């Protein structure tokens, strides 16, 4: 915890995992606690790039301190995606692995699995996943964005590697 405490999160987590979200009124209540569109987009982004470091590590989430606020996730630290390291295989099914590997032991996976118990959420998840794989995460689009972003920050990365070293500018540029 950087700021605040987990009291509200714990309450909201308990509601989501201890109530059948297949029930419309329970799902409606859970949807007032967690931003369901954000849950879906976060899961799609983490798994579309096959970020093997997702859910078990590098979790950041937040909620405004007001009555009608929802929990949302912060997408960051994605270097373990797209097969960057030998242990992050680009063809591995990270989504399935996370759902099995962290079964009942990871609160964020438990939240997502609880929401998947609702047919509307599951339908929205599958449709959104297909939409994003065919647009934002389409291979050609991703490559364009990576090259654009690389070129945009290249000058600053020279200074970054002068100061911090590893892995070095040439490796960064080529990989």
């Amino acid at each position: 915890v950087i700021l605040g405490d987990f009291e509200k999160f714990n309450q909201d987590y308990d509601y989501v995992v201890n109530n059948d979200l297949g029930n419309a009124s329970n799902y409606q209540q859970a949807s007032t606690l967690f931003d369901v569109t954000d849950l879906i987009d976060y899961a799609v982004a983490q798994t579309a790039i096959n970020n093997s470091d997702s859910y078990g590590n590098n979790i950041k989430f937040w909620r405004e301190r007001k009555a009608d606020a929802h929990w949302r996730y912060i997408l960051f630290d994605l270097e373990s995606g797209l097969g960057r390291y030998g242990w992050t295989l680009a063809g591995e099914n990270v989504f399935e692995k996370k759902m099995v590997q962290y079964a009942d032991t990871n609160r964020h996976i438990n939240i997502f699995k609880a929401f998947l118990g609702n047919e509307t959420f599951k339908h929205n998840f599958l449709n959104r996943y297909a939409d994003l794989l065919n647009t934002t995460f389409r291979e050609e689009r991703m490559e364009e964005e990576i090259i654009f972003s690389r070129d945009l920050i290249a000058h600053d990365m020279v200074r970054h590697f002068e100061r911090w070293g590893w892995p070095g500018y040439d490796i960064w540029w080529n990989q």
Side-chain angles (χ1 to χ4, degrees), residues 32-169:
T32 69
L33 306 174
F34 290 85
D35 182 328
V36 294
T37 302
D38 182 73
L39 281 172
I40 289 170
D41 284 352
Y42 184 79
V44 171
Q46 290 285 15
T47 58
I49 68 163
N50 242 21
N51 185 17
S52 62
D53 207 14
S54 64
Y55 289 104
N57 194 18
N58 297 327
I59 295 282
K60 289 190 182 193
F61 53 102
W62 66 283
R63 179 187 174 277
E64 283 184 271
R65 292 183 181 179
K66 63 181 190 177
D68 61 345
H70 298 77
W71 290 101
R72 293 181 172 98
Y73 287 87
I74 300 171
L75 189 63
F76 79 107
D77 198 2
L78 304 172
E79 89 283 355
S80 292
L82 301 174
R84 168 74 169 93
Y85 302 112
W87 48 270
T88 61
L89 305 174
E92 182 179 30
N93 185 340
V94 169
F95 182 72
E96 180 181 35
K97 182 178 179 181
K98 297 302 177 178
M99 290 295 168
V100 172
Q101 177 182 358
Y102 296 124
D104 303 324
T105 63
N106 181 293
R107 298 175 112 200
H108 306 284
I109 293 293
N110 293 345
I111 291 165
F112 190 76
K113 287 171 81 173
F115 274 95
L116 279 176
N118 180 277
E119 287 301 315
T120 298
F121 181 88
K122 188 185 301 183
H123 176 79
N124 291 341
F125 171 65
L126 293 173
N127 281 330
R128 181 73 170 153
Y129 213 118
D131 289 346
L132 289 174
L133 285 181
N134 287 305
T135 57
T136 303
F137 293 108
R138 197 180 79 246
E139 184 179 348
E140 298 82 14
R141 170 75 174 90
M142 289 287 293
E143 185 175 10
E144 289 170 7
E145 186 61 34
I146 289 168
I147 291 169
F148 173 79
S149 297
R150 179 201 65 192
D151 293 349
L152 186 66
I153 65 172
H155 176 73
D156 294 320
M157 293 306 290
V158 170
R159 294 190 332 223
H160 169 83
F161 290 116
E162 285 172 357
R163 177 171 179 157
W164 300 107
W166 186 89
Y169 184 82

